């Protein structure tokens, strides 16, 4: 794949700004090689719902992520004997009962979720689950799995990724949910005002520690809590809010830009201003299963290069040219 030229990308809301140049940009440190929690962190609470005591708040969580989890379960079934696990695996009918939410879940859920979610978020969750339940069997059949295999794979993943002797526990333990480098904050999805305040006062390491501790708590409370908002928000009306108050606290702490994943762009990286905070959407869909679901061909390849000058280059197989952002060529309004 060859890039013939570059395209300069300027945030639409910043193209016409006049005033002081952006001289406070601090590039990320060279050689940083830490990995960051993304989809795996996002899913730990869903997997834990099967091994925790069943309740109205957690009995729907695995079905909720079916479309994205089934390809993983299929690969685990192909590579491992998923029935060789410490967890007893019941028959097909009982596996169905354990995977699906119970009777009258829609009636029970609003009252149970009221301490954690707004009425709008509760209504959205109920609508989403209705659609996901309808498609769950189809996704399983498409993957060529039985519900017993799905259940066994989900339980096996808990051993694989989270048990002391799990083959990939080392990978999970080395990841951070957040990393600061210079004036840039690397995260998976996004921020809210509460997290901005924690980051500005106590630093990213406090957030990383809290994420690990809270991930061991009740799955639903963790997944919809403010710390896990880092790996799930898309700044929807039902997500925790990011306002100018949170952005200003980051700016006072010297943080000027967020580099995020989570947003599946089909035309390479993007720069956007969200609630007054500059976001670089750097997600590139890599694996064949995810790309197939997104209607993208082949295997994805991409890189986001941030230079000491502040220049940013975005490379992606999903866009025919390299994208270039040069902050020094812009005039920035001094606020």
């Amino acid at each position: 794949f060859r890039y013939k030229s570059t395209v300069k990308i300027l945030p639409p809301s910043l193209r016409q700004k006049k005033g002081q140049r952006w001289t406070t940009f601090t590039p990320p440190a060279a050689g940083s090689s830490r990995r960051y929690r993304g989809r795996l962190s996002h899913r730990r609470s869903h997997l834990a719902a099967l091994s925790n005591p069943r309740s109205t708040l957690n009995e729907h969580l695995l079905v909720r992520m079916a479309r994205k989890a089934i390809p993983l379960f299929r690969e685990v079934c192909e590579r491992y004997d998923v029935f060789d696990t410490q967890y007893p695996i019941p028959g097909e009918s009982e596996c169905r009962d354990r995977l699906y939410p119970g009777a009258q879940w829609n009636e029970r859920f609003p009252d149970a979720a009221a301490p954690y979610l707004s009425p709008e978020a509760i209504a959205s969750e109920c609508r989403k689950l209705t659609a996901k339940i309808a498609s769950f069997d189809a996704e399983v059949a498409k993957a060529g799995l039985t519900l017993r295999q799905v259940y066994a794979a989900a339980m096996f993943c808990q051993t694989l990724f989270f048990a002391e002797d799990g083959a990939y526990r080392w990978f999970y333990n080395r990841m951070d949910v957040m990393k600061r480098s210079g004036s840039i904050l690397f995260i998976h999805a996004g921020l809210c005002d509460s997290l901005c305040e924690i980051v500005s006062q106590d630093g990213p390491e406090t957030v990383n520690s809290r994420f690990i501790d809270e991930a061991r708590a009740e799955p639903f409370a963790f997944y919809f809590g403010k710390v896990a908002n880092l790996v799930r928000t898309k700044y929807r009306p039902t997500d925790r809010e990011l306002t100018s108050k949170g952005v200003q606290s980051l700016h006072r702490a010297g943080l000027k830009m967020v580099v995020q994943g989570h947003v599946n762009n089909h035309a390479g990286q993007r720069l956007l201003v969200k609630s007054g905070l500059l976001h670089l959407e750097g997600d590139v869909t890599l694996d064949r299963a995810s790309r197939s679901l997104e209607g993208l061909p082949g295997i994805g390849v991409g890189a986001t290069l941030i230079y000491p000058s502040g220049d940013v280059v975005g490379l992606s197989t999903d866009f025919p040219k390299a994208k270039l952002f040069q902050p020094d060529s812009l005039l920035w309004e001094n606020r």
Side-chain angles (χ1 to χ4, degrees):
F1 192 91
R2 300 182 66 182
Y3 293 96
K4 297 181 180 179
S5 60
T6 60
V7 175
K8 184 175 290 188
I9 48 175
L10 306 180
S13 60
L14 298 177
R15 287 176 182 165
Q16 306 303 321
K17 298 290 186 183
K18 293 183 178 181
Q20 186 177 358
R21 293 180 184 274
W22 186 14
T23 57
T24 56
F25 177 83
T26 307
S32 178
S33 61
R34 297 295 297 273
R35 296 180 180 272
Y36 308 98
R37 283 185 169 86
R39 183 170 293 179
L40 183 57
S41 306
H42 201 174
R43 308 305 172 198
R44 180 171 188 168
S45 55
H46 298 71
L47 295 173
L50 288 180
S51 55
N52 283 21
R54 186 176 172 90
S55 73
T56 301
L57 291 177
N58 67 26
E59 64 190 77
H60 68 297
L61 289 179
L62 192 124
V63 170
R64 191 185 190 279
M65 69 162 186
R67 181 172 178 266
K68 295 179 179 179
I70 295 301
L72 169 64
F73 294 158
R74 181 179 62 187
E75 183 173 350
V76 170
C77 286
E78 291 172 350
R79 293 182 176 223
Y80 299 94
D81 177 7
V82 294
F83 297 103
D84 182 17
T85 175
Q86 60 178 314
Y87 303 101
I89 309 300
E92 185 80 1
S93 178
E94 187 173 343
C95 283
R96 172 179 288 275
D97 291 340
R98 295 189 183 187
L99 292 169
Y100 280 84
Q104 286 82 49
W105 178 87
N106 276 334
E107 287 74 23
R108 293 184 283 111
F109 181 74
D111 287 341
Y116 306 98
L117 300 177
S118 68
E120 295 79 12
I122 290 172
S124 174
E125 188 72 2
C126 290
R127 286 194 304 271
K128 287 179 180 178
L129 192 71
T130 299
K132 290 178 184 293
I133 288 176
S135 65
F136 187 77
D137 278 339
E139 294 292 336
V140 172
K142 182 180 177 181
L145 300 175
T146 65
L147 290 178
R148 190 165 185 261
Q149 286 176 302
V150 170
Y151 181 85
M155 302 305 287
F156 192 84
C157 281
Q158 297 189 58
T159 300
L160 200 62
F161 292 109
F162 309 130
E164 289 292 338
D165 58 347
Y168 295 106
R169 178 182 169 85
W170 65 269
F171 179 79
Y172 186 88
N173 284 349
R174 285 175 55 184
M175 294 188 292
D176 287 332
V177 71
M178 176 184 290
K179 175 71 175 181
R180 177 175 183 167
S181 193
S183 58
I184 300 174
L185 195 63
F186 292 85
I187 58 177
H188 177 64
L191 295 165
C192 63
D193 285 353
S194 298
L195 280 168
C196 290
E197 193 67 23
I198 296 172
V199 172
S200 63
Q201 291 184 359
D202 303 318
E205 291 307 318
T206 296
V207 178
N208 290 330
S209 297
R210 285 188 57 173
F211 190 95
I212 294 171
D213 292 340
E214 293 181 19
R216 302 188 181 100
E218 204 283 324
F220 183 88
F222 165 68
Y223 182 68
F224 286 101
K226 61 185 177 183
V227 176
N229 188 67
L230 277 166
V231 297
R232 61 176 302 272
T233 185
K234 289 186 177 177
Y235 299 113
R236 296 159 291 207
T238 54
D239 289 328
R240 292 177 178 267
E241 193 174 19
L242 175 65
T243 69
S244 59
K245 178 183 177 181
V247 174
Q248 288 168 10
S249 69
L250 289 183
H251 286 174
R252 287 194 297 270
L255 288 162
K256 304 297 183 181
M257 182 170 73
V258 162
V259 179
Q260 66 166 113
H262 196 51
V263 179
N264 293 342
N265 294 320
H266 292 179
Q269 295 87 337
R270 296 196 305 172
L271 272 170
L272 297 173
V273 175
K274 304 178 183 181
S275 300
L277 180 63
L278 188 62
H279 285 62
L280 171 56
E281 294 180 350
D283 193 20
V284 176
T285 304
L286 299 177
D287 65 280
R288 288 185 185 273
S290 296
R291 291 179 67 81
S292 177
L293 289 173
E294 297 289 333
L296 299 171
I299 298 175
V301 178
T304 303
L305 312 176
I306 304 175
Y307 290 90
S309 62
D311 294 349
V312 181
V313 176
L315 307 175
S316 170
T317 52
D318 298 323
F319 194 79
K321 299 178 180 180
K323 295 183 176 183
L324 173 64
F325 173 61
Q326 294 177 300
D328 194 49
S329 67
L330 299 175
L331 292 175
W332 298 76
E333 186 177 275
N334 187 17
R335 295 184 177 180

